[in-house]
């Protein structure tokens, strides 16, 4: 599927034929003396009869920043983790989602990074969304229906700021290249979506357009004539959620659904707008476009503030440790007196293949354990954060999707079909792929392999460490591991 993004004056990438993006308006840079105010130039509206009642700007920065707090008393909130444990926090009315995440990171002694997120979940509606760092947690909780099962969940999402990374995946480049922010314009989004109105059973496919004045759909094919455009919803006055079980609960054509919920809609399905995309890439692009239209430059400020915090010393006075997945790995040659970076890709590939052969010879010395422990020498993998034990394939898919479909996100689990094997589940190109890890025996020693014995490893830790440096038979290196924390 292809998508086009056009920003003045350059034409960027092409990725999806069903979603076309055109420049629709521009905004001036903020004045230095008033950093929290954005000014929009007066551009004639080509469709005045389609304007929504709201005149709110698309890019807003008037929301509370991470350092702002409102006056008021204390509030108690409950936050749950992936393993359904929970803890209560006492916060003020102005506490933001980023503040809550920092409190929980400190409480759980986790590695501090910009991936930790506070997620708002409506369990009975199968809706969930990530709170932006600047959002007030108390204000969000105030919108919940009394006696409902809404809750906050603390989890990682590696795709949260993927749009601002220096090398985002190709599937996200059309939307979130730095050129989009620097060009001074926001695009118009167009593409096909399935829509289900409340009270109707059938889903119908329409051609939608996301503009400054709201979201519209064409009642006549792909026509953009004002007579054929029907107003649907104002993004600035709504909240957008992912739908986790669309086929089961809403009888969607696919599982790639999302929902637009007006601020005034408190409970039930009344007022909800249900949408369905053809694939995960289209849903990711639409959801990311909604974030850009709704919050604009504030998102980039949130990302910059997270990067600044990571560079600051930790609370106890030392620089926070970084995991292997956070490091930038390059090919090195240590055969001489000093190491050197291998810049030639062909030479780097040759070195990687030679290293793969060398790993086979290291197994006799690696992790050598006393005789008393030989009955279970490989149980140490159960203590690793990337090992999730006996979970189903469906739960694996759900966990990886919840933590962001970025390339290199992985976990290792026990195989359901082979009692002696394991499965490496890996995210690549916004799809979850599964690789069977089988034990093999040679000269009385046990090894693990994913390629029928061509490359063998003494244990799962060695296997994971190798593929964090070398791609091997995988489509990409292992970069981020799915993790669950207990509160």
């Amino acid at each position: 599927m292809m998508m086009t993004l056009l920003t003045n004056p350059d034409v960027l990438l092409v990725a999806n034929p069903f979603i076309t993006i055109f420049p629709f308006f521009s905004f001036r840079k903020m004045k230095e003396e008033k950093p929290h105010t954005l000014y929009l130039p007066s551009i004639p509206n080509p469709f005045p009869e389609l304007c929504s009642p709201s005149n709110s700007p698309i890019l807003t920065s008037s929301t509370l920043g991470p350092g702002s707090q409102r006056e008021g008393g204390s509030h108690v909130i409950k936050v749950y983790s992936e393993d359904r444990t929970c803890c209560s926090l006492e916060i003020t009315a102005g506490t933001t989602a980023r503040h809550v995440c920092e409190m929980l990171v400190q409480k759980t002694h986790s590695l501090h990074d910009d991936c930790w997120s506070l997620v708002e979940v409506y369990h009975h509606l199968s809706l969930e969304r990530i709170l932006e760092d600047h959002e007030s947690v108390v204000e969000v909780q105030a919108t919940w229906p009394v006696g409902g099962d809404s809750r906050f969940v603390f989890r990682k999402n590696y795709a949260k700021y993927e749009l601002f990374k220096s090398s985002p995946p190709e599937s996200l480049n059309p939307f979130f290249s730095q050129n989009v922010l620097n060009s001074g314009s926001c695009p118009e989004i167009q593409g096909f979506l399935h829509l289900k109105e409340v009270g109707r059973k059938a889903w119908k496919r329409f051609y939608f357009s996301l503009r400054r004045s709201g979201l519209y759909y064409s009642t006549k094919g792909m026509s953009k004539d004002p007579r054929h455009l029907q107003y649907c919803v104002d993004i600035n006055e709504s909240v957008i959620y992912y739908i986790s079980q669309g086929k089961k609960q809403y009888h969607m054509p696919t599982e790639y659904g999302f929902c637009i919920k007006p601020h005034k809609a408190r409970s039930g399905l009344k007022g909800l707008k249900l949408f369905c995309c053809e694939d995960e890439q289209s849903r990711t692009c639409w959801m990311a476009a909604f974030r850009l239209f709704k919050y604009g430059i504030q998102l980039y400020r949130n990302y910059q503030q997270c990067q600044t915090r990571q560079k600051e010393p930790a609370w106890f006075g030392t620089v926070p440790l970084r995991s292997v997945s956070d490091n930038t790995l390059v090919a090195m040659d240590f055969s001489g007196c000093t190491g050197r970076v291998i810049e030639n890709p062909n030479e780097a590939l040759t070195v990687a293949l030679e290293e793969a052969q060398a790993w086979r010879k290291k197994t006799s010395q690696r992790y050598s354990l006393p005789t008393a422990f030989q009955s279970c020498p490989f149980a140490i993998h159960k203590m690793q954060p990337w090992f999730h034990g006996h979970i189903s394939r469906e739960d694996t898919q759900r966990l990886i999707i919840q933590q962001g479909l970025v390339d290199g996100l992985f976990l290792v689990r026990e195989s359901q079909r082979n009692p002696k094997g394991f499965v490496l589940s890996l995210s690549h190109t916004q799809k979850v792929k599964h690789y069977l890890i089988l034990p093999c025996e040679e000269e009385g020693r046990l090894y693990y392999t994913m390629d029928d014995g061509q490359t063998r490893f003494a244990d799962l830790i060695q296997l994971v460490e190798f593929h964090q440096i070398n791609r091997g038979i995988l489509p990409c290196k292992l970069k981020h591991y799915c993790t669950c924390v207990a509160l």
Side-chain angles (χ1 to χ4, degrees), residues 77-316:
I77 63 169
K78 275 190 175 182
V79 182
Y80 292 78
S81 66
E82 294 288 358
D83 61 358
R84 298 181 182 179
T85 59
C86 72
C87 71
S88 297
L89 298 177
E90 184 177 356
I91 61 175
T92 61
T95 303
T96 63
R98 172 49 53 185
H99 279 152
V100 172
C101 288
E102 290 175 350
M103 294 168 64
L104 294 173
V105 166
Q106 187 176 10
K107 173 180 173 58
T108 58
H109 306 287
S110 301
L111 183 69
H112 193 286
D113 56 33
D114 58 9
C115 299
W116 288 110
S117 306
L118 196 62
V119 183
E120 179 189 10
V121 177
Y122 285 82
H123 182 71
H124 67 291
L125 296 177
S126 298
L127 306 180
E128 61 180 52
R129 75 174 181 102
I130 299 174
L131 268 65
E132 302 297 346
D133 285 347
H134 64 273
E135 289 191 77
S136 169
V137 177
V138 174
E139 289 183 3
V140 173
Q141 189 178 48
T143 64
W144 293 354
V146 178
D149 61 350
S150 307
R151 61 175 58 180
F152 291 122
V153 178
F154 179 61
R155 72 164 70 115
K156 277 202 171 187
N157 188 290
Y158 293 97
K160 182 177 181 179
Y161 288 122
E162 192 71 9
L163 60 164
F164 299 123
K165 303 293 184 181
S166 57
S167 299
E170 294 181 1
S171 58
L172 292 182
N173 265 338
F175 278 109
F176 301 111
S177 171
Q178 292 291 343
N179 295 332
V180 174
L181 291 175
N182 297 334
S183 64
S185 65
C186 278
E188 175 183 315
I189 315 299
Q190 296 181 354
F192 283 102
L193 291 172
H194 295 272
L195 170 66
K196 180 182 179 182
E197 293 284 356
V198 176
R200 296 183 181 181
K201 295 183 179 180
W203 288 80
K204 194 171 181 179
R205 193 166 178 259
F206 292 102
Y207 193 73
F208 281 84
S209 299
L210 178 58
R211 299 176 174 178
R212 174 183 176 182
S213 55
L215 181 65
Y216 303 89
Y217 64 89
S218 177
T219 57
K220 188 176 182 181
M222 298 174 60
S223 174
K224 292 185 289 183
D225 191 298
R227 298 173 300 174
H228 303 143
L229 292 181
Q230 177 67 42
Y231 175 78
C232 185
V233 68
D234 188 346
I235 299 301
N236 293 287
E237 298 179 350
S238 306
V239 185
I240 296 89
Y241 296 86
Y242 283 93
I243 298 180
S244 57
Q245 299 184 20
K247 281 189 174 181
K248 179 179 179 181
Q249 185 148 353
Y250 301 106
H251 307 289
M252 289 184 170
T254 70
E255 284 288 1
Y256 312 112
F258 62 90
C259 167
I260 299 181
K261 175 178 172 287
H263 288 304
K264 60 184 178 181
R266 289 300 184 95
S267 60
L269 294 175
K270 185 177 180 180
L272 300 186
K273 301 288 185 179
L274 305 177
F275 302 87
C276 182
C277 300
E278 297 291 345
D279 52 36
E280 183 62 48
Q281 178 181 347
S282 296
R283 180 170 70 166
T284 300
C285 290
W286 276 102
M287 296 292 288
F290 291 141
R291 292 179 66 198
L292 179 63
F293 266 63
K294 188 175 176 65
Y295 300 109
I297 200 67
Q298 179 66 56
L299 296 181
Y300 190 59
R301 288 205 192 96
N302 294 345
Y303 170 69
Q304 288 181 315
Q305 290 167 352
C306 286
Q307 296 301 303
T308 302
R309 288 191 192 93
Q310 292 186 54
K311 296 177 182 179
E312 294 176 352
W315 295 288
F316 46 86

Side-chain angles (χ1 to χ4, degrees), residues 369-388:
L369 299 173
T371 307
F373 295 93
Q374 291 297 326
S375 59
C376 186
F378 307 110
I380 191 173
H381 64 255
K382 295 183 178 180
M383 304 300 295
Q384 302 304 309
W386 40 257
F387 186 75
H388 288 253

Side-chain angles (χ1 to χ4, degrees), residues 453-473:
Q454 294 296 319
T455 307
R456 289 163 289 185
F457 303 94
D459 50 38
L460 296 182
I461 297 179
Q462 190 183 61
L463 184 147
V464 169
E465 289 179 350
F466 173 83
H467 288 95
Q468 285 178 323
I469 303 174
N470 306 278
R471 190 180 70 176
I473 66 168

Side-chain angles (χ1 to χ4, degrees), residues 25-91:
F25 69 94
S26 60
F27 58 90
R28 298 175 182 172
K29 295 183 178 179
M30 296 182 300
K31 296 183 179 180
E32 296 181 358
E33 65 272 16
K34 294 182 179 181
H36 294 292
T37 306
L38 284 170
Y39 297 90
L40 296 173
S42 56
I43 299 177
N45 189 348
F47 304 106
E49 68 278 10
L50 297 179
C51 280
S52 66
S54 172
N55 293 320
S56 58
I58 293 175
L59 304 182
T60 62
S61 60
S62 59
T63 50
L64 286 174
S68 303
Q69 288 191 355
R70 298 178 178 178
E71 296 182 359
S74 299
H75 299 263
V76 176
I77 63 169
K78 275 190 175 182
V79 182
Y80 292 78
S81 66
E82 294 288 358
D83 61 358
R84 298 181 182 179
T85 59
C86 72
C87 71
S88 297
L89 298 177
E90 184 177 356
I91 61 175

